[in-house]
Amino acid sequence: MRHPTGCHFALLLLLLPLSRGQDSGDGGSTCNRCDSRLSCNCSHGGFTRVPVVTERALTLDLSCNIISVVTGDDLAGHAPLRALDLHGNRLAAIHPSAFDSLWSLEELDLSDNRLAALHHQWFSKLAALQRLNLLSNPYSRLGSPAPFQGLVRLRRLAFGGPALEELRRGDLSGVTQLEEFTVHANNLARYESGALADIWPLGHVTLSLHAPFLTNLALASAVLADVTYPETPITLEDLHLIGNWSVQPFRDSARRRIRYLSFRNLSVSDEATVNLLVVLNGVPLTSLSMDGVTLTGEGRWEKANWTDHRSVDEFFIRDAVVLNVFRFVSFLQLRFLLQYPRKVSVINSEVFVMPCPTSQLLVNLQYLDLSDNLLTDLTLVETLCDDTETLKELRVLNISGNALKSLSTVSRLVTKFSKLTHLDISRTVYSSMPSSCPWPSTLRYLNISGAKLTTTTPCLPITLEVLDLSNNNLRGFTQRLPVLRELHLSGNKFLSLPPGQLFPSLQTLTIQLNTLNMFGHSDLQSFRRLENLQAGQNKFVCSCDFVNFLQSTLKGDGDVQLRDGEDSYVCDSPLYLQGEPVGRVHLSVVVCHRVVFVSVSCGLALFVGVLLGVLLWRLHVFWYLKMTWAWLKAKHSSRRRQKRRDVEGSEALLPFDAFVSYSERDASWVENFLVPELEEPSELDSGNPRTSRPLTLCLHKRDFLPGHWIVDNIMSAIERSRRTVFVLSENFVQSDWCRYELDFSHFWLFDGQAGGEAAILILLEPLSKDDVPKRFCKLRKLMSSTTYLEWPQEEERRAEFWRSLRKALRGGDEEDD
Ligand SMILES: *[C@@H]1O[C@H](CO)[C@@H](O)[C@H](O)[C@H]1NC(C)=O
Ligand SMILES: *[C@@H]1O[C@H](CO)[C@@H](O)[C@H](O)[C@H]1NC(C)=O
Ligand SMILES: *[C@@H]1O[C@H](CO)[C@@H](O)[C@H](O)[C@H]1NC(C)=O
Ligand SMILES: *[C@@H]1O[C@H](CO)[C@@H](O)[C@H](O)[C@H]1NC(C)=O
Ligand SMILES: *[C@@H]1O[C@H](CO)[C@@H](O)[C@H](O)[C@H]1NC(C)=O
Ligand SMILES: *[C@@H]1O[C@H](CO)[C@@H](O)[C@H](O)[C@H]1NC(C)=O
């Protein structure tokens, strides 16, 4: 458990006034960065003391702040807290009862602080504690009484640092059973034998013992002996193994039949390697691993060729550096070492070739991992040998992270591995796929992720159960793979899900980080067996169908589970929903049922329109409008005529005595009675020649100018007549035509052209004011203001009628004379 001292950029953050926990003035501060699962991440917050956090918090990350003290009250009330992380602060003092209320605490990290002494009381109430990290603090001893006494459930313990000098018997009393045990004791000077011996059963042990291995071999031996058990994997860190003597501490371990030995950050010479192999001669060691190893020698290890390492099953080397790479000898002498292991990994170690003769030594090899090296197509041919006998047992080949370009080369080379099931050729530079390729018939797993493929072809073996094509430039997929269970297509350019019919056995599909716009029920249904889908981080168009579908799928309806969580599904468009998690989008009815909405609103508008129309028609609004317009127009032309008359000065003489307005239906009366009577008066009737002088009448039938607008004609007729006679009857009231005339004359009258006498009403049939429809208010008004003449049905009274009419028509003249 090595903790990165990489909190230095936190210091940068401190300089910025970015402190996301707001200071509340009195020096106390709060941190509100808690998520829905009550996990509060107050890391990198610039806090100088423990901030106030909700008491319901389950995990509290206070790492990488500048807290220097934890007082007795700081964490009071945090009974539910399960995990507390204080690493990377400046803690120098912790109140003895600071953690007393944390009786649920399972995980406590105090690493990378300034604690110069441990206090046994800190941990006395933490009965639930399972993990404790005290690394990288400046205490030199654990102190007494033993600090971990009450931690009955402790399973992972890490302590020590550059200052740790002393470990005594009883320091770890109370600690009995650990899954992981880490001690940084690079500068350990005093060790009381047996101090670590009581911990059993013991899982993985990690020890940093740099100085003891150089200067105090007895101490190193004692420590190593106390933690060595056959089932306990041991990792040793920071060792510098130079000569014969520096490997002697392993003698005790060898005697205790150590089986899993790892080195991390190791520097080793040839002599030390040979002597280590000698020390481990005959030991049932199954796994030897070196992570971060510097080989200072030339690889001359054959002096140990007599030793027995038949039990070694796995060699793991990562990040190896050969100081003297040009003088490094071949491994040809290492048959005694290489013929046994079934697993060999040489990762990120600048291997550009493994010569064929070396490969031939690896007769038991089933698993070969040469990832992240410098292999090319050419050296791969050499490494895998072009014969059928080499690496016959190979089942897994991992050559990811090499500069390989030709897919047909690798396919040809691996065909001979008749047991090969896994091939990892990810992170290579394959840019195209041949149209067909040979493969071993056993191949089940193929990883070509992180290459530069743009298309797929039938080159892909149909025996595949797992295929990883993520992080390429693929746009589509058309190969049928009948037994495929897992397909990974993330990080490509897919616009839609591949057709499910191609993968009748597919159970898992990942297609994140593509350009999918949407997918739906029918897409998923085409995959008959699909259970797990990860399709987040795409460019989703949040249409109603998609949102509804996804929300129900997230809820767990349907057979397919979305494994990558609700928050990965975010709308990309429409713009107003961009960045919104699809699961939390609410689309309105207007958006979702647009057609229905539009039809309904159109229907409604139409209905309202019709209703309004009917209403207006019932209220005769159109008629009024028509009238107003006609009147305005007529006014205009009348004014024109007036002007002309003024200019011509022909004002005096009006050509007609009266304009007769009547309904067409009453034409017979007008023609048979009115016109003869007034225009051609009988001698009989006339005692007074003056009164019986013929009158000139204006009748629309006779005197209107053809081709002129009717309203104009009416207007001018009224203007050119001294009087207007209205022949009122049911017919008149019914006729639009007559209404015009009435109205014009009426406007005329009230415009003051002539006096109120200008209109004469003749009632052809008895017509009371109330029979006239209400909207003819003018006619009604006229009827009440003007006396009207009634046409008598009896013959004998008609002479009287004519006399009255003539009198009315001449009324003005007689007075003038
Ligand atoms: C808190 O956030 C930091 C980055 O700011 C992250 O490294 C850390 O893992 C987070 N801690 C938890 C418990 O999620
Ligand atoms: C590796 O070990 C050396 C001592 O041999 C030490 O100085 C160095 O810091 C270690 N490196 C790491 C990354 O721990
Ligand atoms: C290494 O040291 C041991 C004991 O100190 C001795 O028995 C052995 O012969 C030495 N081996 C070599 C190769 O010097
Ligand atoms: C071991 O190597 C020596 C040379 O260092 C050689 O003489 C001897 O034959 C080898 N023995 C075996 C068993 O390979
Ligand atoms: C191959 O190696 C890479 C990197 O070391 C690793 O991520 C991958 O899981 C390995 N593949 C297999 C099949 O073990
Ligand atoms: C394929 O390889 C990549 C990179 O080496 C790795 O991250 C990924 O997990 C592998 N895929 C599978 C399905 O193992």
Side-chain angles (χ1 to χ4, degrees):
M1 252 191 273
R2 174 171 294 268
H3 268 276
T5 48
C7 293
H8 25 265
F9 78 95
L11 294 177
L12 265 180
L13 281 177
L14 304 182
L15 300 178
L16 303 173
L18 184 85
S19 162
R20 280 193 270 164
Q22 304 86 19
D23 273 323
S24 64
D26 58 346
S29 49
T30 48
C31 168
N32 301 323
R33 290 187 257 155
C34 301
D35 66 15
S36 54
R37 281 164 301 171
L38 291 169
S39 170
C40 303
N41 194 340
C42 309
S43 167
H44 299 287
F47 296 105
T48 53
R49 43 178 303 182
V50 175
V52 176
V53 179
T54 170
E55 289 188 353
R56 294 179 303 139
L58 295 179
T59 58
L60 177 53
D61 186 346
L62 290 169
S63 61
C64 300
N65 285 296
I66 40 176
I67 301 167
S68 55
V69 61
V70 182
T71 69
D73 301 330
D74 279 348
L75 294 162
H78 275 288
L81 201 63
R82 299 272 162 77
L84 175 61
D85 189 346
L86 278 161
H87 100 258
N89 278 283
R90 296 179 185 175
L91 284 183
I94 298 177
H95 190 273
S97 56
F99 304 137
D100 276 5
S101 58
L102 309 181
W103 48 268
S104 302
L105 200 68
E106 293 169 1
E107 195 172 339
L108 176 60
D109 191 341
L110 295 171
S111 63
D112 203 4
N113 275 294
R114 298 178 179 179
L115 299 170
L118 301 182
H119 200 291
H120 69 98
Q121 221 179 305
W122 293 343
F123 313 117
S124 60
K125 300 274 169 61
L126 302 181
L129 200 68
Q130 295 174 20
R131 302 176 180 201
L132 176 59
N133 189 344
L134 296 166
L135 290 174
S136 304
N137 277 287
Y139 50 84
S140 57
R141 43 196 226 102
L142 292 184
S144 58
F148 311 129
Q149 283 283 3
L151 304 180
V152 289
R153 303 182 71 172
L154 197 66
R155 294 296 169 266
R156 296 186 186 194
L157 174 62
F159 68 86
L164 189 69
E165 283 178 3
E166 183 181 50
L167 281 175
R168 307 192 146 274
R169 242 175 219 278
D171 277 357
L172 286 149
S173 73
V175 181
T176 55
Q177 177 187 347
L178 291 180
E179 290 161 8
E180 261 185 48
F181 183 39
T182 304
V183 183
H184 284 186
N186 275 334
N187 297 315
L188 196 66
R190 292 179 296 280
Y191 181 77
E192 204 169 344
S193 200
L196 304 180
D198 292 337
I199 309 169
W200 197 88
L202 187 53
H204 196 142
V205 174
T206 304
L207 298 172
S208 309
L209 292 168
H210 178 74
F213 262 87
L214 287 175
T215 60
N216 194 343
L217 294 177
L219 189 151
S221 289
V223 175
L224 218 45
D226 278 352
V227 295
T228 307
Y229 303 95
E231 294 305 323
T232 299
I234 293 184
T235 300
L236 290 159
E237 293 183 330
D238 303 345
L239 296 195
H240 188 42
L241 303 179
I242 307 163
N244 184 2
W245 46 271
S246 67
V247 299
Q248 298 314 314
F250 292 104
R251 284 194 182 279
D252 275 333
S253 299
R255 221 171 287 130
R256 286 167 162 253
R257 309 187 76 71
I258 187 169
R259 289 179 57 194
Y260 310 96
L261 185 58
S262 303
F263 296 94
R264 200 180 292 150
N265 186 24
L266 169 74
S267 153
V268 63
S269 67
D270 279 349
E271 195 189 352
T273 309
V274 169
N275 282 297
L276 187 63
L277 291 172
V278 169
V279 167
L280 296 174
N281 176 31
V283 172
L285 191 74
T286 58
S287 163
L288 184 61
S289 135
M290 297 181 186
D291 193 353
V293 57
T294 305
L295 302 175
T296 58
E298 297 170 3
R300 300 193 183 280
W301 306 335
E302 71 276 5
K303 284 179 210 146
N305 66 2
W306 53 272
T307 56
D308 171 14
H309 298 285
R310 67 184 63 227
S311 59
V312 173
D313 197 47
E314 176 178 7
F315 275 124
F316 178 93
I317 295 174
R318 182 163 59 191
D319 301 339
V321 176
V322 178
L323 283 189
N324 237 329
V325 72
F326 294 110
R327 295 172 58 188
F328 210 73
V329 299
S330 87
F331 285 132
L332 279 180
Q333 317 298 324
L334 302 183
R335 173 182 293 272
F336 74 100
L337 213 54
L338 298 182
Q339 62 184 321
Y340 301 115
R342 288 183 299 157
K343 281 182 87 172
V344 168
S345 305
V346 183
I347 299 171
N348 192 25
S349 299
E350 306 198 337
V351 175
F352 55 88
V353 67
M354 182 163 77
C356 180
T358 307
S359 302
Q360 282 166 343
L361 297 178
L362 295 158
V363 289
N364 273 315
L365 200 67
Q366 295 184 4
Y367 179 107
L368 178 60
D369 187 344
L370 292 172
S371 50
D372 296 304
N373 281 298
L374 304 174
L375 299 177
T376 62
D377 290 321
L378 212 62
T379 60
L380 188 68
V381 174
E382 172 67 18
T383 302
L384 298 183
C385 303
D386 236 344
D387 64 35
T388 51
E389 284 306 300
T390 316
L391 304 174
K392 275 196 315 210
E393 297 296 313
L394 200 65
R395 285 163 170 79
V396 179
L397 177 62
N398 191 346
I399 44 175
S400 69
N402 284 286
L404 304 171
K405 287 183 180 155
S406 164
L407 198 56
S408 52
T409 303
V410 71
S411 124
R412 181 174 56 79
L413 285 171
V414 301
T415 314
K416 65 168 191 236
F417 301 136
S418 60
K419 294 180 178 169
L420 193 74
T421 57
H422 285 60
L423 178 61
D424 190 337
I425 45 177
S426 60
R427 295 179 294 121
T428 45
V429 283
Y430 298 129
S431 57
S432 64
M433 232 181 229
S435 56
S436 72
C437 320
W439 296 104
S441 61
T442 44
L443 198 63
R444 300 278 175 268
Y445 169 103
L446 182 61
N447 193 340
I448 326 183
S449 69
K452 295 188 160 63
L453 296 174
T454 52
T455 51
T456 58
T457 69
C459 169
L460 293 170
I462 59 162
T463 53
L464 287 184
E465 291 175 9
V466 178
L467 174 60
D468 192 337
L469 286 169
S470 37
N471 301 316
N472 280 285
N473 293 320
L474 300 174
R475 289 170 187 279
F477 197 105
T478 48
Q479 261 42 69
R480 188 179 147 84
L481 297 171
V483 291
L484 197 70
R485 285 184 291 107
E486 254 183 61
L487 178 60
H488 302 276
L489 296 172
S490 296
N492 280 289
K493 292 176 176 162
F494 280 82
L495 287 169
S496 58
L497 293 185
Q501 296 82 357
L502 300 175
F503 318 106
S505 311
L506 199 70
Q507 294 168 2
T508 300
L509 174 64
T510 62
I511 186 162
Q512 298 170 310
L513 287 162
N514 275 275
T515 44
L516 294 188
N517 285 153
M518 58 181 72
F519 56 93
H521 193 61
S522 59
D523 294 307
L524 293 192
Q525 262 192 339
S526 68
F527 295 90
R528 292 221 311 268
R529 300 248 170 91
L530 194 65
E531 289 167 7
N532 307 317
L533 175 65
Q534 299 187 13
Q537 289 147 300
N538 274 292
K539 305 259 174 237
F540 291 119
V541 175
C542 283
S543 68
C544 300
D545 284 349
F546 177 68
V547 169
N548 285 340
F549 163 74
L550 200 82
Q551 288 181 348
S552 73
T553 310
L554 282 169
K555 258 187 252 145
D557 305 354
D559 303 329
V560 180
Q561 300 281 314
L562 296 176
R563 292 286 168 183
D564 45 352
E566 190 172 334
D567 293 343
S568 316
Y569 296 83
V570 171
C571 297
D572 188 59
S573 65
L575 209 57
Y576 70 97
L577 289 176
Q578 203 169 46
E580 195 85 8
V582 183
R584 274 175 257 154
V585 161
H586 295 288
L587 290 175
S588 65
V589 184
V590 181
V591 181
C592 284
H593 303 283
R594 202 176 293 257
V595 172
V596 175
F597 182 77
V598 167
S599 344
V600 165
S601 41
C602 280
L604 214 65
L606 201 70
F607 178 71
V608 168
V610 167
L611 206 70
L612 203 70
V614 167
L615 208 68
L616 292 179
W617 177 73
R618 290 286 299 195
L619 296 174
H620 306 283
V621 170
F622 299 114
W623 184 80
Y624 283 120
L625 285 175
K626 208 159 80 184
M627 284 315 300
T628 309
W629 182 73
W631 179 71
L632 283 173
K633 196 151 172 196
K635 273 290 268 198
H636 181 71
S637 39
S638 136
R639 206 168 292 136
R640 259 197 348 253
R641 276 193 302 273
Q642 182 77 42
K643 228 177 248 161
R644 212 166 42 232
R645 257 206 311 273
D646 289 350
V647 171
E648 290 163 4
S650 59
E651 154 80 356
L653 285 169
L654 293 175
F656 297 109
D657 288 308
F659 166 58
V660 184
S661 169
Y662 59 97
S663 159
E664 202 54 45
R665 300 225 185 103
D666 301 323
S668 62
W669 182 83
V670 172
E671 280 158 26
N672 296 334
F673 291 93
L674 187 75
V675 174
E677 185 61 39
L678 297 183
E679 292 199 337
E680 308 142 22
S682 62
E683 293 304 317
L684 280 174
D685 195 30
S686 53
N688 184 348
R690 259 186 78 204
T691 46
S692 57
R693 170 178 71 84
L695 296 164
T696 39
L697 299 180
C698 175
L699 301 180
H700 65 258
K701 245 188 189 164
R702 201 174 60 187
D703 302 308
F704 276 13
L705 294 170
H708 280 232
W709 187 48
I710 182 74
V711 176
D712 259 356
N713 260 326
I714 295 170
M715 209 73 183
S716 104
I718 292 172
E719 278 168 6
R720 291 188 298 154
S721 311
R722 288 190 298 140
R723 301 270 194 280
T724 303
V725 176
F726 294 100
V727 181
L728 299 184
S729 67
E730 282 289 346
N731 299 332
F732 186 93
V733 172
Q734 250 41 192
S735 155
D736 271 346
W737 176 273
C738 301
R739 277 181 230 144
Y740 277 129
E741 295 171 4
L742 180 68
D743 265 275
F744 290 124
S745 74
H746 195 71
F747 284 128
W748 200 249
L749 299 177
F750 285 94
D751 277 359
Q753 278 284 317
E757 305 298 298
I760 296 164
L761 304 184
I762 298 173
L763 236 59
L764 263 198
E765 52 201 20
L767 190 70
S768 104
K769 199 177 84 181
D770 299 327
D771 295 340
V772 180
K774 283 225 173 61
R775 70 193 136 106
F776 299 135
C777 53
K778 282 169 195 137
L779 178 57
R780 288 163 69 109
K781 222 191 247 161
L782 213 58
M783 281 175 80
S784 50
S785 67
T786 313
T787 49
Y788 39 84
L789 301 167
E790 265 179 82
W791 171 247
Q793 297 303 314
E794 307 88 14
E795 284 279 349
E796 55 271 27
R797 288 181 54 205
R798 286 188 183 158
E800 174 61 28
F801 168 83
W802 292 123
R803 216 172 301 125
S804 311
L805 182 55
R806 260 196 214 97
K807 194 165 164 235
L809 286 172
R810 294 226 169 92
D813 287 357
E814 276 158 335
E815 279 149 43
D816 293 345
D817 288 324

